[in-house]
Structure formats: C-alpha cells, structure tokens
Amino acid sequence: MNYFNLFSNIYITKGASRILISDLQRNVSELYPLELYVLIEDMKNQSIEDILKDYDEESKAIIHEYISLLLEKEYGFITENDWDRNFPPLSYEYDDPSAITNLFIEMEDIEIVKKIKSSVENLGIKHLVIYSLKPLTINEFIEIDDVFKTSVLAGIEIFSPFHKETNLSFIQALQKNTVRIYSLIFYNCSKPPFKAKDEYRFSLNFLKDDLKLSACGKVELKYFNTNLPKVLEAMNHNSCLYKKIGIDRNGSIKNCPLMIESFGNIRNNSLEEAITHPDFKKYWNLTKDNIETCKDCEFRYVCTDCRAYTENAEKSKEGLNVSKPLKCGYNPYTGDWEDWTKNPLKQKISHSLELK
C-alpha cells in the first residue's frame, strides 16, 4: 500500500468554487479545482490503492494525474505501508510581543514624529508608515530618520509628493544620511527625474498618480501575500487592524486613519492611552472567516481586509461591521473578478465614505 503525505508547510484553503494551495516556505499560492481538495482529504485517511477501488478507469487516470501534479509541485511525498509520522504538523498560532506593530501617520507637520517617539519605544512599534501631505525637503527626511536612529523601530516607509528638488543627488544624500528609511514613494510625479535602480538601501518609486489616502483598501491579486507571518496573522486576527494604529491629518488617533471612530487626539493623548479604550481592539480578532462572502473565499488568508470601506450592510451579534470590503470585485461563488469601480452601488457608498 502507498500513502500520500502532505508537507507541513503546505496549507489548503477551501473556497466556495476553488481551493488555494499555499506553499508557506516558498511564499507562493496556486488555484486548483475543488475535486482536488476531496482527493487530498481522502488521502489523509486512506491509502492510494483503497481510494482507487471506488473509481472507474477514466477517473483513476485523473486521480493519477492529480497525484503526479502534487508530487511535481512538491506539495507532498509518497511512502509505503504507512504514512510518515516523523514530521509534526506546523503550528498555525500567531503571536507578536509588541503591543502595537504598525503605526500609520497622515502627516502635515513633522513635529508629530517627535511627539510619538516615546510611544514608539513604549509600545514596541516595528513599522512606521508616513503619508506626507506636503513635499518634504531633504533635511526633513533626514530629521525624521534621525528621530528613530537608535529606536526599536525596524523601518520607515514614506509617501511624499514629488517636487523638483527630488533629483539624483537628493536621493544619494538620503542614501548616505539615513538608516531607518526602507521605502520611499514619491507621488504626483509626471515624469521620473531618473531611472530608479535597485542600488539603494531603500526601495524607490515614482508614481504618476496624485496618491490619495482614500485609495487604500483595494483588494487585488497583486496585493496578495503568501508570506508565512501574514498568513498566520490572517488566520488568527484581522489582517488589516490587528495591533495597528493610525493618526489622521487632524491628529485623531484611530485604528486606521480612514475609519470614523476616534480614540483621542495626539495633541492631548498618547498612543498608550488610546489603546486602553474599551473599543480600540474590538476588530482585532475579526478574521475573514467571520466576514460575509470572505468566509467562502479561497483567498481569505493571503488577502488583506478593510473595515474603513465596506457596504456596511452586515453586523455581527457583537455589533461589528462584517460586510465584505467595498473595493473587492471578486465573487468566490463563481470565481470571477469584476471592476468594483463600475458598480453604481459601490461607487455611491465609496463617495459617501470619502465625504465623511
């Protein structure tokens, strides 16, 4: 008798019409038909020979093709006489020691960076994203970086409007004088001043669009991530809001700058005070398994979430918004994608949310 063994790093997410097989070691995911899921489940309890007994010759050929595919993709291996029990299953638990992992600031004045420095240390924040509403000078970039030069912060990502001084020497000076910035995105750039090469310590991008914060929340294949920590976070918590905090342009402290509910203002309150509010963590453990439509989607653990932009049509018994993200055009029941921006209802809701 021969037995198929699925590698521990392979995770299968069953959707309404397809499955997604994720290789959590190689950080890749691929789509397959539902019938493959049935076969894999059967092979967890039966030998290959016992399974084949229940099928006709044509179906047996298909099963052999599927098994060959699983072996070719290195999703598993075959053993004789019994399953190989030497490999313990992978733990799907997720834990991060930081009280807060990510901070997003919609910034008009860099003084706010100095104000939150102690909170970054106290909360163990690892990633800082700054969306600057005004063009930043080279001295301001360096000053932001200097604030966190000896910090627990792992890195800083900055979105800044492009300006004419952003030339090659500008970028070279940042390369020389910064240590924490790992990503620079200059938006509203009609023409890149030079061809950005992969030669800097940080990633560098020039975007033609006048980037708006309201553009956040889009659900598209290009944003999906099979990175193990992100997948485990999505399995256990809300992939967008868990241990995240934001400050909007008015200084309001929120789960996300785009959300309506505020938990204080940075002018009067610290981030430490904000996270003690009874409602601050209410969405932290809302997984895609509990969000309408998403719970039937094969992409639910590699996708992100957005509670700021939803149709707001479904509520949980705890009063949480469990509607599907507004900016998602995928239908897991048909496996089809549509352009959500062409849906009149979604356009209307999106516009009303932006006005708020």
Side-chain angles (χ1 to χ4, degrees):
M1 293 290 187
N2 292 290
Y3 296 83
F4 180 80
N5 303 260
L6 196 69
F7 283 123
S8 300
N9 60 296
I10 303 301
Y11 189 84
I12 302 173
T13 308
K14 182 176 179 287
S17 63
R18 298 184 292 186
I19 64 170
L20 187 75
I21 298 184
S22 298
D23 186 329
L24 301 178
Q25 182 175 343
R26 292 177 171 142
N27 298 344
V28 293
S29 294
E30 294 191 50
L31 290 164
Y32 295 98
L34 274 177
E35 62 183 11
L36 179 56
Y37 179 83
V38 176
L39 174 61
I40 293 172
E41 288 298 301
D42 286 344
M43 290 194 295
K44 290 179 180 179
N45 302 300
Q46 301 178 66
S47 69
I48 295 173
E49 289 79 5
D50 285 339
I51 291 172
L52 290 171
K53 289 177 184 177
D54 297 328
Y55 293 92
D56 58 29
E57 292 304 314
E58 183 178 351
S59 298
K60 286 179 181 178
I62 295 173
I63 290 174
H64 280 299
E65 287 181 12
Y66 274 139
I67 293 174
S68 295
L69 172 69
L70 294 171
L71 295 174
E72 180 185 339
K73 292 289 185 178
E74 296 184 328
Y75 292 150
F77 59 98
I78 292 176
T79 52
E80 294 182 356
N81 301 321
D82 195 2
W83 289 278
D84 190 323
R85 308 192 187 270
N86 293 316
F87 298 95
L90 185 70
S91 171
Y92 296 123
E93 294 181 0
Y94 179 82
D95 183 51
D96 191 291
S98 298
I100 296 290
T101 58
N102 296 63
L103 168 60
F104 190 106
I105 302 175
E106 190 179 14
M107 186 180 76
E108 287 188 325
D109 187 339
I110 69 167
E111 289 301 312
I112 191 175
V113 174
K114 300 173 185 176
K115 191 171 181 61
I116 54 94
K117 168 69 164 59
S118 61
S119 293
V120 168
E121 304 303 315
N122 294 337
L123 298 173
I125 296 173
K126 298 295 190 298
H127 303 284
L128 171 62
V129 179
I130 296 174
Y131 174 81
S132 180
L133 296 163
K134 69 178 186 67
L136 296 173
T137 66
I138 189 166
N139 288 334
E140 287 174 322
F141 274 109
I142 294 172
E143 187 175 355
I144 291 170
D145 193 89
D146 280 344
V147 170
F148 300 104
K149 188 163 286 186
T150 59
S151 169
V152 297
L153 199 67
I156 306 169
E157 181 174 24
I158 301 178
F159 294 80
S160 174
F162 177 80
H163 55 92
K164 61 181 180 180
E165 294 179 6
T166 313
N167 52 29
L168 183 58
S169 60
F170 185 102
I171 300 301
Q172 289 173 337
L174 291 181
Q175 166 78 358
K176 182 179 179 181
N177 295 288
T178 61
V179 294
R180 294 292 181 183
I181 296 173
Y182 72 89
S183 176
L184 286 174
I185 299 97
F186 292 95
Y187 62 91
N188 203 12
C189 174
S190 59
K191 183 180 179 181
F194 58 91
K195 187 175 181 180
K197 297 180 181 179
D198 188 19
E199 60 185 42
Y200 303 109
R201 182 183 44 74
F202 42 75
S203 62
L204 177 64
N205 289 283
F206 297 99
L207 303 181
K208 185 176 181 180
D209 296 337
D210 183 11
L211 193 64
K212 302 294 185 184
L213 198 60
S214 57
C216 188
K218 294 177 182 176
V219 176
E220 298 178 16
L221 284 169
K222 63 182 179 182
Y223 299 131
F224 290 178
N225 193 337
T226 312
N227 174 278
L228 178 59
K230 295 301 294 182
V231 171
L232 295 183
E233 181 182 42
M235 288 181 183
N236 293 277
H237 307 286
N238 187 271
S239 57
C240 184
L241 299 178
Y242 180 64
K243 293 196 174 185
K244 313 294 195 302
I245 195 166
I247 303 172
D248 71 10
R249 66 176 65 192
N250 299 314
S252 296
I253 304 171
K254 303 178 176 182
N255 294 119
C256 161
L258 290 170
M259 296 184 79
I260 296 172
E261 190 171 9
S262 173
F263 303 97
N265 192 287
I266 198 63
R267 299 185 186 95
N268 309 307
N269 308 102
S270 67
L271 299 183
E272 293 93 324
E273 291 172 329
I275 67 172
T276 62
H277 190 284
D279 288 337
F280 185 82
K281 300 178 182 179
K282 65 183 180 182
Y283 280 105
W284 277 19
N285 296 320
L286 179 68
T287 69
K288 286 293 188 77
D289 292 321
N290 296 299
I291 294 174
E292 293 303 315
T293 306
C294 298
K295 63 186 180 182
D296 297 320
C297 180
E298 63 273 22
F299 295 119
R300 61 187 178 273
Y301 300 135
V302 298
C303 178
T304 186
D305 186 37
C306 180
R307 294 296 89 199
Y309 288 97
T310 73
E311 294 179 11
N312 204 18
E314 305 285 347
K315 297 284 186 181
S316 70
K317 61 182 181 180
E318 295 82 17
L320 299 181
N321 177 1
V322 292
S323 291
K324 172 186 174 181
L326 183 70
K327 299 180 183 181
C328 176
Y330 181 64
N331 184 338
Y333 307 105
T334 63
D336 296 324
W337 287 87
E338 67 173 23
D339 186 351
W340 71 270
T341 63
K342 294 181 179 178
N343 183 313
L345 175 61
K346 291 195 173 192
Q347 281 184 326
K348 183 177 180 180
I349 296 172
S350 179
H351 181 65
S352 66
L353 289 170
E354 288 177 12
L355 290 177
K356 292 179 182 180

